[in-house]
Amino acid sequence: MRALVVEDDPVSTRLLEYALVAEGIVVECSDTGEDALELAKIYDFDVVTVDLGLPDMDGATLIRRLRNARIDTPVIVVSADARRDEKVRVLLAGADGYLAKPFDRDELRAHIQAVVRRTRGYAASRILLGRMTIDLATRSVDIDGRSLKITAKEYGILELLALRKGQPLTKEAFLDHLYGGRDEPEQKIIDVFICKLRKKIAAMTTDAHNIETVWGRGYVLNDLPAAAGGGVPGLAEAGTVFALEGGPGVSEAELLIEQIFA
Ligand code: CA
């Protein structure tokens, strides 16, 4: 995952960056609204955190401008301002969540995971891909209920592909999300990671894997099909089964607005 932190206070920036990096998230920082708008137009972030008091514009204006520019990346406001009308104002401007400072790291993580998976169309934190399950909360993957032993980078690749299921990802996009321009290795490292991942998956499935090469466009993740002669017939053909424990529907922002106006 990749996050943009918009914050002008260096201490808050450092705290947020530290908390996000600990979650395996690649972080880009910006201390002005204009700078953040430019970055958000150029790069594909999974989430943006916004401080309300920026030197060149207030947070609500930034969020409105992001939305007007058709950037629908989830936005979480991180602010020391706990006034209700301020919360309502930024949520109505297009924010997806509101976190009060000082924030708790678990709360930040839960918030980010919730808004990111919802914008990618998943209501629950477990993504079901045929025989494979990716758990965004525990950052783990299993096949037929058995744990797939992978490194943090390999998990990052599967998570990235799962959150953009059906969409081929270029090697450049992988590098952006896994390294964010820092100490970025050559693109062929992605082929090496994919090759290792396919082998690990195949070792648990008598040779099946679900990472497809899309010629000239990169890689795409599919459902992991049922074992030949075994498994549940028709399950693989049925396409992705989304976990819907939480039910589809209302976002956290909508819930908060409902609570405030209740
Ligand atoms: Ca500030």
Side-chain angles (χ1 to χ4, degrees):
M1 262 196 235
R2 195 169 187 210
L4 174 63
V5 169
V6 192
E7 169 70 75
D8 62 324
D9 173 55
V11 176
S12 293
T13 304
R14 191 76 63 81
L15 280 172
L16 269 166
E17 193 177 9
Y18 183 77
L20 294 170
V21 168
E23 297 304 323
I25 298 173
V26 168
V27 179
E28 199 76 50
C29 298
S30 161
D31 55 7
T32 66
E34 288 295 346
D35 192 27
L37 274 165
E38 283 310 304
L39 286 168
K41 282 176 191 167
I42 299 169
Y43 299 107
D44 171 30
F45 293 102
D46 294 283
V47 66
V48 182
T49 74
V50 171
D51 168 43
L52 291 184
L54 295 167
D56 56 343
M57 65 181 81
D58 73 23
T61 306
L62 170 60
I63 295 163
R64 205 169 293 112
R65 286 183 62 186
L66 282 167
R67 297 308 184 223
N68 287 344
R70 303 199 172 279
I71 296 162
D72 52 13
T73 312
V75 171
I76 296 175
V77 170
V78 183
S79 173
D81 190 341
R83 284 174 302 167
R84 279 186 155 202
D85 50 349
E86 194 55 34
K87 280 189 189 174
V88 171
R89 200 166 75 91
V90 293
L91 290 171
L92 291 177
D96 302 273
Y98 197 105
L99 200 61
K101 281 184 200 169
F103 62 86
D104 174 84
R105 266 173 61 174
D106 289 339
E107 203 183 347
L108 175 71
R109 178 179 55 202
H111 238 72
I112 287 180
Q113 274 178 6
V115 298
V116 170
R117 64 180 155 75
R118 284 221 180 248
T119 40
R120 300 291 178 188
Y122 297 105
S125 64
R126 295 171 80 228
I127 299 176
L128 308 184
L129 301 153
R131 298 167 68 187
M132 177 183 278
T133 304
I134 299 184
D135 192 325
L136 301 173
T138 57
R139 298 175 58 78
S140 63
V141 179
D142 63 55
I143 293 172
D144 300 332
R146 286 180 300 144
S147 166
L148 177 69
K149 302 270 181 283
I150 48 176
T151 64
K153 279 276 187 292
E154 289 167 346
Y155 172 81
I157 284 177
L158 283 180
E159 184 191 76
L160 198 57
L161 284 167
L163 288 173
R164 290 159 179 77
K165 188 168 179 274
Q167 191 184 320
L169 268 167
T170 62
K171 291 173 203 173
E172 201 180 1
F174 277 112
L175 288 181
D176 275 352
H177 280 267
L178 296 172
Y179 299 92
R182 279 176 213 106
D183 308 318
E184 216 170 77
E186 286 185 51
Q187 285 194 6
K188 59 174 181 282
I189 189 80
I190 300 302
D191 300 320
V192 175
F193 280 137
I194 297 281
C195 180
K196 281 189 185 164
L197 262 172
R198 281 174 173 163
K199 276 186 188 159
K200 287 183 181 182
I201 296 167
M204 290 180 72
T205 60
T206 51
D207 267 5
H209 71 73
N210 54 339
I211 308 173
E212 187 191 334
T213 304
V214 183
W215 224 86
R217 293 176 66 198
Y219 296 103
V220 70
L221 191 64
N222 298 314
D223 284 355
L224 187 59
V232 185
L235 189 65
E237 290 74 33
T240 312
V241 188
F242 294 140
L244 290 173
E245 289 148 28
V250 280
S251 71
E252 201 207 355
E254 286 161 333
L255 279 175
L256 193 50
I257 289 175
E258 270 173 29
Q259 282 168 14
I260 287 165
F261 286 119

